[in-house]
Amino acid sequence: SDVFDVYAIRNDFPILSEKVGDKQLVYFDNGATAQKPQIVLDAITAYYSKYNANIHRGVHHLSQVATQAYEDARALIASCLGVSNSNEILFTKGTTDSINLVAFSFGELLKEGDEIIISAMEHHSNIVPWQMLCERKGCVLRVIPMFESGELDIEAYREMLSERTKLVAVTHISNALGTINPVKKMIDWAHSVGAKVLIDAAQSVQHMSVDVKDMDCDFLALSGHKVFGPTGVGILYGKEELLNQMPPYQGGGDMIATVTFEKTTYNTLPHKFEAGTPHIAGGICLGKAFEYIKTLDMGAIQKYESELLEYATGRLLEIEGMRIYGEAKNKTSVISFLIEGTHPYDVGTLLDKMGIAVRTGHHCTQPIMDFYKIPGTIRASFAFYNTKEEVDSMINALNRAVGMLK
Ligand code: PMP
């Protein structure tokens, strides 16, 4: 069905009825982090009040219950992402940690002159680890250019690919512009020259259903906190064959098979990449967040969010001097904008006084800001629990703010 009852959904998120001072909270900073449904909040309390224990090494009851819950969460997340082998799902600290794991570990397999391709619209976390790898290994970083519309020049990308290309690391959806990149085609092309592909999915699972096997990427990174789960936990998907070839990222407990002072042998997947006590509650509760998403109709959500985006775009353009950055045909849930004659920080501060949470600044995408020759934008980013009424509140607040500032 494509009937989507946003008001019923909102009841699942207690924070949405909070006030900021005496104003009703309007939360439009979902690109930075999303709010949590009651089922996730309850799971946090249940874990710490009923079965908190360290996992994978205890014979006692609580340890077994916690281990089972943690591994069940891994299996559920795998199945939600279209992955049948849960050894391919690694728990990490988040997208940043997942990308660093690949840069350090897969990076060990690269050599001088090998090329890594990223794009002009990457988050700093999908730029800096590759620059560090290039420094370490003498690899070459290449950047797919972007058009004024905020779409990648994929013909230029095609030209860039060669047998020197070892890895393409590209975002599925831009957190600053909302652009949805044609990743499936980009992955196909990369594979045709033998390169591997990492997809930064930090902004995608919360807006569309993602089938990793259908996409056929080699790695995929995401953050728990952006998909209605806790902070401090995330996922790295990697093809088993590839993960098996890669050296461990960090050494410590849990990632070993045997340790002596002469030689250590490593554990099998996924443990080889999970040194130390993980964020146990985080992993379990991220499983709950996926369980929650699974109860929703992602098709209906995508349609609802597109309507919300279109509505908000139209209403914003009624404001004099409005400039929206990012006009990709294929776009979702993010609007970055500036209003002529005002500073984004001043607008953001005034909006906050009226209960509206937006983000101002470069959104960890300084190269995008340099591309448009601006210091930053105001960014409203939506989730499926946002409404047209909230958009109207933002428009009223913006009109008042502009009146005060101009
Ligand atoms: N990539 C993208 C596209 C993002 O939006 C973000 C978070 N803003 C990240 C990577 C980094 O995620 P985290 O800070 O949760 O590691």
Side-chain angles (χ1 to χ4, degrees), residues 118-123 127 142-147 151-153 169-171 174 177 365-369 371:
I118 61 172
S119 89
M121 63 172 79
E122 298 309 314
H123 187 277
I127 302 173
R142 306 197 58 186
V143 183
I144 308 165
M146 182 174 90
F147 296 116
E151 289 163 305
L152 291 181
D153 181 348
V170 69
T171 196
S174 161
L177 303 171
T365 55
Q366 280 182 12
I368 298 183
M369 303 303 134
F371 174 83

Side-chain angles (χ1 to χ4, degrees), residues 126-200:
N126 200 25
I127 302 173
V128 184
W130 308 118
Q131 288 174 326
M132 291 163 70
L133 169 61
C134 288
E135 292 239 324
R136 249 183 0 259
K137 288 285 189 168
C139 301
V140 178
L141 191 64
R142 306 197 58 186
V143 183
I144 308 165
M146 182 174 90
F147 296 116
E148 193 69 19
S149 63
E151 289 163 305
L152 291 181
D153 181 348
I154 63 160
E155 285 311 317
Y157 163 65
R158 192 172 213 164
E159 296 287 307
M160 257 178 214
L161 289 164
S162 75
E163 68 289 350
R164 288 186 306 278
T165 315
K166 295 299 176 234
L167 185 78
V168 176
V170 69
T171 196
H172 192 180
I173 295 175
S174 161
N175 65 303
L177 303 171
T179 311
I180 306 173
N181 287 316
V183 288
K184 210 172 161 188
K185 182 155 64 180
M186 295 175 78
I187 292 165
D188 268 0
W189 292 355
H191 285 167
S192 73
V193 298
K196 306 299 182 198
V197 183
L198 177 144
I199 298 298
D200 174 350

Side-chain angles (χ1 to χ4, degrees), residues 4-70:
F4 176 69
D5 185 355
V6 67
Y7 302 101
I9 293 284
R10 286 178 71 81
N11 287 332
D12 296 336
F13 293 81
I15 208 171
L16 297 180
S17 37
E18 285 295 304
K19 292 206 146 85
V20 180
D22 61 346
K23 301 290 191 309
Q24 175 56 47
L25 166 70
V26 171
Y27 188 75
F28 281 165
D29 195 17
N30 295 285
T33 199
Q35 301 303 347
K36 322 303 172 198
Q38 191 66 47
I39 177 181
V40 168
L41 303 176
D42 289 345
I44 297 171
T45 307
Y47 171 75
Y48 285 115
S49 53
K50 293 193 161 71
Y51 61 102
N52 170 51
N54 212 330
I55 53 171
H56 294 146
R57 37 197 127 159
V59 292
H60 64 79
H61 176 72
L62 289 191
S63 176
Q64 288 175 24
V65 175
T67 302
Q68 190 64 48
Y70 194 70

Side-chain angles (χ1 to χ4, degrees), residues 124-384:
H124 295 165
S125 67
N126 200 25
I127 302 173
V128 184
W130 308 118
Q131 288 174 326
M132 291 163 70
L133 169 61
C134 288
E135 292 239 324
R136 249 183 0 259
K137 288 285 189 168
C139 301
V140 178
L141 191 64
R142 306 197 58 186
V143 183
I144 308 165
M146 182 174 90
F147 296 116
E148 193 69 19
S149 63
E151 289 163 305
L152 291 181
D153 181 348
I154 63 160
E155 285 311 317
Y157 163 65
R158 192 172 213 164
E159 296 287 307
M160 257 178 214
L161 289 164
S162 75
E163 68 289 350
R164 288 186 306 278
T165 315
K166 295 299 176 234
L167 185 78
V168 176
V170 69
T171 196
H172 192 180
I173 295 175
S174 161
N175 65 303
L177 303 171
T179 311
I180 306 173
N181 287 316
V183 288
K184 210 172 161 188
K185 182 155 64 180
M186 295 175 78
I187 292 165
D188 268 0
W189 292 355
H191 285 167
S192 73
V193 298
K196 306 299 182 198
V197 183
L198 177 144
I199 298 298
D200 174 350
Q203 299 289 344
S204 43
V205 172
Q206 55 277 50
H207 300 300
M208 60 175 68
S209 61
V210 170
D211 185 327
V212 168
K213 287 296 169 187
D214 177 60
M215 206 188 260
D216 198 29
C217 54
D218 301 280
F219 301 105
L220 179 130
L222 65 85
S223 295
H225 69 98
K226 298 194 199 253
V227 299
F228 318 104
T231 52
V233 66
I235 295 294
L236 175 66
Y237 157 81
K239 284 184 179 162
E240 183 168 35
E241 188 196 346
L242 208 48
L243 292 176
N244 276 329
Q245 287 166 30
M246 289 158 47
Y249 172 42
Q250 293 182 321
D254 244 25
M255 56 74 72
I256 53 89
T258 61
V259 177
T260 67
F261 289 116
E262 288 69 45
K263 184 174 171 57
T264 289
T265 58
Y266 304 130
N267 206 337
T268 50
L269 290 175
H271 311 295
K272 177 175 128 185
F273 289 104
E274 295 181 351
T277 302
H279 185 357
I280 303 167
I284 293 169
C285 297
L286 180 53
K288 282 287 168 197
F290 271 89
E291 201 178 302
Y292 179 79
I293 295 172
K294 216 175 136 177
T295 65
L296 306 171
D297 176 344
M298 268 336 263
I301 283 177
Q302 229 182 316
K303 185 161 174 281
Y304 176 78
E305 288 190 16
S306 302
E307 284 166 13
L308 197 61
L309 179 71
E310 200 176 317
Y311 179 72
T313 304
R315 295 255 21 221
L316 282 170
L317 289 171
E318 291 168 9
I319 297 172
E320 208 184 285
M322 173 62 58
R323 161 101 201 253
I324 292 177
Y325 295 86
E327 298 160 309
K329 270 211 295 292
N330 209 1
K331 172 175 173 174
T332 186
S333 303
V334 175
I335 311 183
S336 257
F337 60 92
L338 286 176
I339 304 166
E340 210 183 353
T342 66
H343 193 281
Y345 182 78
D346 296 336
V347 175
T349 305
L350 287 171
L351 287 189
D352 173 59
K353 299 250 182 297
M354 297 179 248
I356 321 280
V358 293
R359 180 147 295 233
T360 62
H362 55 62
H363 321 298
C364 292
T365 55
Q366 280 182 12
I368 298 183
M369 303 303 134
D370 292 346
F371 174 83
Y372 290 112
K373 301 187 172 58
I374 52 176
T377 67
I378 305 161
R379 181 186 72 179
S381 52
F382 308 124
F384 52 66

